[in-house]
Structure formats: C-alpha cells, structure tokens
Amino acid sequence: MTAHKRSGRETFWMVFTGITGVLILIGVYMSLIWAPTALNLPTVNEQLAQRVFYFHVSAGWVGYVAFGVTAVASVLYLIKRSRRFDNLAVSSAEIGVVFTAANLVSGSIWARPTWNTWWTWDDPRLTLAAIVLMVYIAYLMLRNAIDDPERKARLASIYGIVGFISVPLSFVSVRIWRTIHPAVIGTASASSQGGFDMSGNMVITLLFSIFTFSLLYFVLLHYRLCLEDQRVELEEYKMAVMADS
Amino acid sequence: MIAIEKLIKAFGRKPVLKGIDLSVPAGQSVALFGPNGAGKTTLIRIIAGLSKHTSGSVKLGGQEVQQAGHGLRRHIGFVSHNPLLYDSLTAEENLIFFGRLYEVPELSQRINVVLDRVGLLHRRKDLVRTFSRGMIQRLTIARSILHNPPILLLDEPDTGLDQQAADMLRGLLLDIGASDRTVLLTTHNLERGLEWADRALILNGGKIRYDSLTDNLTPAEFRQVYTDVVATVPTIGKEPASS
Amino acid sequence: MSYLSKVRAIVWKDVRAELRTKDILSSMLVFAGLTVLIFQFAFDLRASVIQLVLPGVLWIAITFAGVLGLNRSFVLEQDRGSMEGLLMAPMDRSAIYFGKLIGNLLFIFAVELVLLPLMTVLYNMSLLSPSILLVVFLGTIGYAAVGTLFAALSINTRAREVMLPILLFPVMIPVFVAGVQATARLLDGESLAEIARWVQLLLAYDGIFIAAAMILFDYVVEE
C-alpha cells in the first residue's frame, strides 16, 4: 500500500487511533445500554434523553481542555516564538470549537424533553458555552484575517490569552445573572429541575466517556498538527516563490 | 557609532539582508544606494529598532539595538517614508508633541530654532493639512532633528523637495557634520547623495557590494560604478558563484 | 514622572486633534442617539413598559458608539503611518496604550455625558444617580481597556474596522451583563450594597484586563 516504510511514530499513532475508536464504541454501548436508566426522572422521554448526558459532559470537558491548551500554547509562543506552539494553539482551538458546538447541540437535545425548550438562558453552563464558542470563533476569524504568518501567530496568541482570561469572568457574570441553576447532580432539590441521582455505574460510564473523549482529543490534535505543519510549510514556500517572481 | 555584524533578515523563508557588515564612525555621513527592493529601508528600520533582525548584531554607540532599553531611541532621529505628522495639528503642535515625548529641554525655543532652520517659522500656526508635500517633508526633517539626536537615519529625505528645499537639507547636513552627528541616508539621486555624504555604499541583493569614501569620486565615475554593480548582481534570486 | 508626562502628551495630542475635527465625537454621539431611537421602535409594540428594557438600551448605545471611537483611535495612526513615530519615541510602549486608553475613555465619557441626561429626559427615569454613574464609569473603563488593546490588534488585520466588534463583544460580556444588571437593579431602587457583587465583578474585570493589556500591548505593536 504505502510506498515508504512506516516510522515507529506513525505506527504508534495508527495503533493509538484504532484503540481510541474501539474504546469510543465501548463508550457508546455503555452510555446507551449498559448504564442504568435514571429512574427518578418522570417520563420515558426524559429518561432516554438523559443518556446524552455522557456525551454532553465529555464534549464540554474536551472543549474547555482544548481552549486551555490554546491559552498555554499562546503564552509559550509569545515567549519562545516557535511556530510549533502556534500550530498547537490553532489546532487545539479548532478542536475545541467542534466539541463545544457538540456540547451545545447535545445540551439542546437534552433540554427539549427535560425543560420543554431547545434552549434556555437560565442554565449558566449552557450560556457560558455559547459565549466561549463565540470567543473562539472570533479567534479563528482573526487568524483568517491576517496573511503574514508571524503576525498571525503573534496577534492570535494575544487574543488566545485575553479570550481565555475572560472565560472565568464570563462564568461569574452568568452565574450571578442566573442564580437558579438546574441540573445539579446529586442534590435533592435538583431532581425537580431535571437533575438525577448518579448511581455507581453511571459514574463509571461518565468517567469512561470523558476518558475516551480525551483520547479522541489527542488523536485529532495529532492529525491536525501534522496537517498544520504541512500547511505552514506550503505557505512559506508559496511566499518565497511569490517574493522571487 | 553604528556597528553592524553579520546582519541577516528574512521574512519567512525569504532572505532580504544576507549578511551585512558595516561600521560607521561618529560624525560620518553615509549615503546608501541601491535599486528598489535591495533592502535599504529594511536595513534602516532595523537600525532604528522598528524591525527585528533574524540574526547578527546591530549596535549603536556600543549598545545592542534589540536589547537596549527605550532610552537608546532618544539618540536616533528618523525620517521615514511616512511623515509621522498629524494633519489636524499645527506645525508647532506637532513639534510640541514630539518634543514632549523626547523630553526636549526649553522646547518652545528649540521649536523656533528648527522651524526657522527649515524655513517654516512663518507657517508654525498653520494646520499640517494645509501644507504642500514639500512643506510636510521640511517639517518631517524638523521633527527628526528636534531632539538633537547624535544619529540621524534618513530614508529618502529628498522625496518631494524642490531644489531650494534640497539645498536647505544639504545645509542642515553640513551643519550636522560639524556637530559630530552620524548620518545614514538613502536616496535614488546619485549626484545628490554623493554630494551630501562622506561615504557611499551600494546595497544590492541583500549585501553591500560597494563601499568607498566620496572624496575623489566624480559623479560620472560613480554612475558607471553603480550601473556595473547593479547589473552584475541580480537583485533577486541566486547568489553569483563568485561571491 | 516622565512616563506620565508622555502619556499625557499622547492624550493631549489626540484630544487636541479631535476637538479640531470632532470627527470621532460627532459620529459617536449621532450613533448613540440613533441606537436609542431604533430601540424605541424595536420595543414599542411588545414591551408594555419601555422602562423595563432601558438599562439594556443604555448599554447597547454605549457599546456600539464605543466601537466607533475605539476603531478610529488606531485607524487614524495607521492610515497616516504615524504609528512609527510613536513606536520610535524613547518610552515604554505601554505609554502609547495608556495614552490611547485615556483618550478613548474621555471620548466615551463625553458621549455618556450627553446620553444619560437625554435618556433621563426621554424616559422620565433617573439615570443620573451617583450609583448608576459609578457603574457606568467602571463598566466603561473595562470596556475601553480591552477595546483599546483589540483596536491596536485589529488594525493589523485585513478586515480592520469590521474585526473589532467581533473580537471585542464576546470578551466584554461580563461588563455588559454586570452593567445592565446593576443599572436595572439600581433603577428598581436597590442600594449600592445590594448590587455589590456586580460592582466587584466590574472592578475585577477592570483590574485584570488593564494589567493584561499593559503586558500584551508590547507584543501587539512589535514588528
């Protein structure tokens, strides 16, 4: 098939990708079938929809981790000025945007039978996810609007840092804004607002799901980084050729 | 005063300056010639601290430009392609503003002196917006010498100047020689550059190809030299095998 | 202090030029007025009591008019190439940031000085209490602190003016939420002590972002 001999690194990533795929399938099985039904929820629809929870929380988790990685990589870029850190920042931000969007969509799916609405501004976490998504869409748009690679990396790093600092402040603001917070896991009053008690197998399923999503993050990050390396190299050659002619 | 060693500047993978070595003693005035795209402006901007170089060393008065604090910028006067003036302010207000940034002592007197020197004293209360191109260039030169800098970097200072203004600038530069000021200027006018400077450099293809004092150089000779240097070395592309 | 006198020189220069042309102030004022007018029509039929949405209208007017002013502050320097002159000056480059920040604040405050009495008269609600003025003051500082940094950043992009609100609005949401909520509650008769959490949030925002911008501005303007 491939003409060149695979390096150890490539083999590692192929195996790692395969294992991640299998684990995700197991995770899907656990979330949809193996995990017990949240019996305290009043309707069957709510009980079924609750199963998106594993997916929803994991996607949200990966989103925030990804944006955290972007912020750290941005700081490192400004200090070290190595293109690698900028590649890491943009790759992680893109993955974060995808997962945060997935988090919002799955949140909507869950909200529909539970709160009888696709969207509610009363849930601070949902609101925060929407704000954070906008911050990182702006981050990607900023990158898109700058041609020079050095300038792009530098200015995007600055925005990546400022944007990340704003997240906790936004969280505090929406938290004070809507002090009623539904869906708090495990508290007695929570069940009336769509919350539910977590049994042991539910916790295991959630942790496993977060684990597999984190693996998926690393797999995607790896391939996105390879792509970015090649894209940057191509860009530099293009610039050199254009400058020469 | 200006000491440059093994200076390399690349934009991405595209090298613009490919190893510049240049030493300018205090009080010397140097004219930098070269075709468009030779890297003259890049070199001046690096010396001014406006651009970062890729590798090598650039020192002004013994201090590395990129490492030195902002205090070093006080010693530089700079005329760039942009006038660096504000349209909605008067000539005097512009100089007051820059005088304050440079902490010029006895500012109002000094402003009168430099405005008089460039022949704009009678227009000092007028908005820069109403100035002609040549007057803007005069005011730009006034701004660059306002804080009496020991180093003067002039990137095509003669642009837009009529003959009279060019003579004025020449007078200024001759003053400068007397007051131990180091000058690096670029121009496309070979005769003028030769007349104004003690030393002539030709930059082409990212390297200094010619370096000579101007004392016993006639304009005709120099024109021949310039044509030869520019013709033998392609501005862009591969280095000739001989280098 | 020579640093402060240089900051003052930059403010003096910008204010002096602006008082002569009035380009920025007039466009900000007209835009703020138009915003109020547009919202009057937007809410007229549905919101039975227009006063209920007033805090939101106030903050939207400030935010939108503010973007105009913030944009101009660096676009003017960039267009005339005069930014180089500022960068060449012997001073820490954060002085440019603070000079521009104070100039922007003065312009936005000037607009608010017209906007608040205007809305007070139009809607018969007192927006001129010391508590509301404090909230507006703190919110404007945080907004301009981030806005000035991003204005310097967005002039280096292809889209320039279009880029600023896209970059700025998601990051300034804490200011907006706190501003609207605190204003509304004060109008409802709550005391400053009761909205202390919002004031604290605004103070934290102002402090954090002024500090961050001071450090990061150097990286924005380097080439």
Side-chain angles (χ1 to χ4, degrees), chain A residues 230-244:
Chain A
Q230 290 169 351
R231 206 190 54 75
V232 166
E233 204 174 335
L234 181 68
E235 203 68 24
E236 280 178 352
Y237 279 122
K238 255 195 219 164
M239 277 189 62
V241 169
M242 279 192 323
D244 269 345

Side-chain angles (χ1 to χ4, degrees), chain C residues 80-153:
Chain C
R80 300 290 301 161
S82 46
M83 197 68 196
E84 271 179 5
L86 296 180
L87 296 179
M88 282 293 298
M91 59 190 177
D92 197 277
R93 281 167 181 172
S94 63
I96 303 173
Y97 171 75
F98 283 113
K100 287 289 176 188
L101 171 60
I102 294 169
N104 285 331
L105 278 174
L106 290 177
F107 297 149
I108 302 177
F109 286 151
V111 171
E112 288 166 353
L113 225 55
V114 177
L115 190 64
L116 288 168
L118 181 77
M119 289 181 73
T120 301
V121 171
L122 283 179
Y123 298 104
N124 193 27
M125 296 197 83
S126 179
L127 288 165
L128 293 170
S129 76
S131 308
I132 291 182
L133 291 180
L134 174 73
V135 167
V136 170
F137 178 76
L138 290 178
T140 307
I141 289 179
Y143 178 52
V146 182
T148 304
L149 179 72
F150 285 175
L153 201 148

Side-chain angles (χ1 to χ4, degrees), chain B:
Chain B
M1 199 59 172
I2 303 175
I4 300 173
E5 281 173 28
K6 300 193 180 72
L7 171 67
I8 290 174
K9 170 70 180 179
F11 293 110
R13 280 170 195 255
K14 167 79 188 159
V16 178
L17 299 176
K18 302 171 183 171
I20 303 279
D21 290 282
L22 174 64
S23 175
V24 182
Q28 194 174 56
S29 60
V30 179
L32 187 60
F33 301 94
N36 290 330
K40 302 190 295 292
T41 297
T42 305
L43 179 59
I44 287 216
R45 288 178 60 88
I46 288 171
I47 298 171
L50 282 172
S51 283
K52 284 188 172 171
H53 49 276
T54 311
S55 67
S57 142
V58 179
K59 286 181 182 166
L60 297 183
Q63 279 183 288
E64 192 68 46
V65 172
Q66 286 301 331
Q67 267 107 60
H70 50 74
L72 186 62
R73 298 205 281 262
R74 192 193 311 273
H75 304 298
I76 305 171
F78 183 48
V79 169
S80 86
H81 293 245
N82 298 313
L84 314 186
L85 297 169
Y86 296 94
D87 274 358
S88 314
L89 298 181
T90 64
E92 193 175 34
E93 285 167 345
N94 266 292
L95 295 183
I96 290 174
F97 173 58
F98 284 101
R100 285 177 181 167
L101 292 189
Y102 284 88
E103 299 171 61
V104 176
E106 289 163 32
L107 184 57
S108 52
Q109 272 166 280
R110 178 68 187 158
I111 287 174
N112 284 340
V113 169
V114 293
L115 279 179
D116 189 37
R117 202 71 193 75
V118 299
L120 282 176
L121 196 56
H122 63 294
R123 298 290 303 263
R124 70 179 189 279
K125 298 282 184 199
D126 291 337
L127 293 186
V128 170
R129 183 182 299 146
T130 65
F131 281 17
S132 70
R133 184 148 182 230
M135 288 163 73
I136 287 176
Q137 193 63 14
R138 286 163 185 243
L139 187 58
T140 301
I141 290 159
R143 181 190 53 76
S144 71
I145 58 169
L146 181 67
H147 54 295
N148 210 6
I151 300 169
L152 203 49
L153 305 173
L154 309 172
D155 198 2
E156 298 182 20
D158 49 340
T159 322
L161 292 186
D162 56 19
Q163 191 52 50
Q164 187 199 354
D167 289 343
M168 178 277 299
L169 180 57
R170 173 169 167 269
L172 264 177
L173 290 172
L174 291 181
D175 284 359
I176 290 159
S179 65
D180 276 347
R181 189 172 283 168
T182 312
V183 180
L184 182 62
L185 65 92
T186 71
T187 176
H188 284 292
N189 188 323
L190 297 184
E191 287 76 13
R192 202 177 269 167
L194 215 53
E195 186 190 340
W196 287 357
D198 309 329
R199 181 175 166 191
L201 300 176
I202 300 176
L203 188 67
N204 198 7
K207 286 192 171 183
I208 292 174
R209 308 291 177 179
Y210 179 83
D211 183 353
S212 162
L213 295 179
T214 55
D215 297 347
N216 27 17
L217 210 58
T218 68
E221 276 171 11
F222 186 64
R223 179 160 292 280
Q224 190 54 48
V225 169
Y226 182 81
T227 315
D228 290 349
V229 170
V230 172
T232 48
V233 185
T235 310
I236 293 152
K238 283 182 182 167
E239 291 296 300
S242 60
S243 78

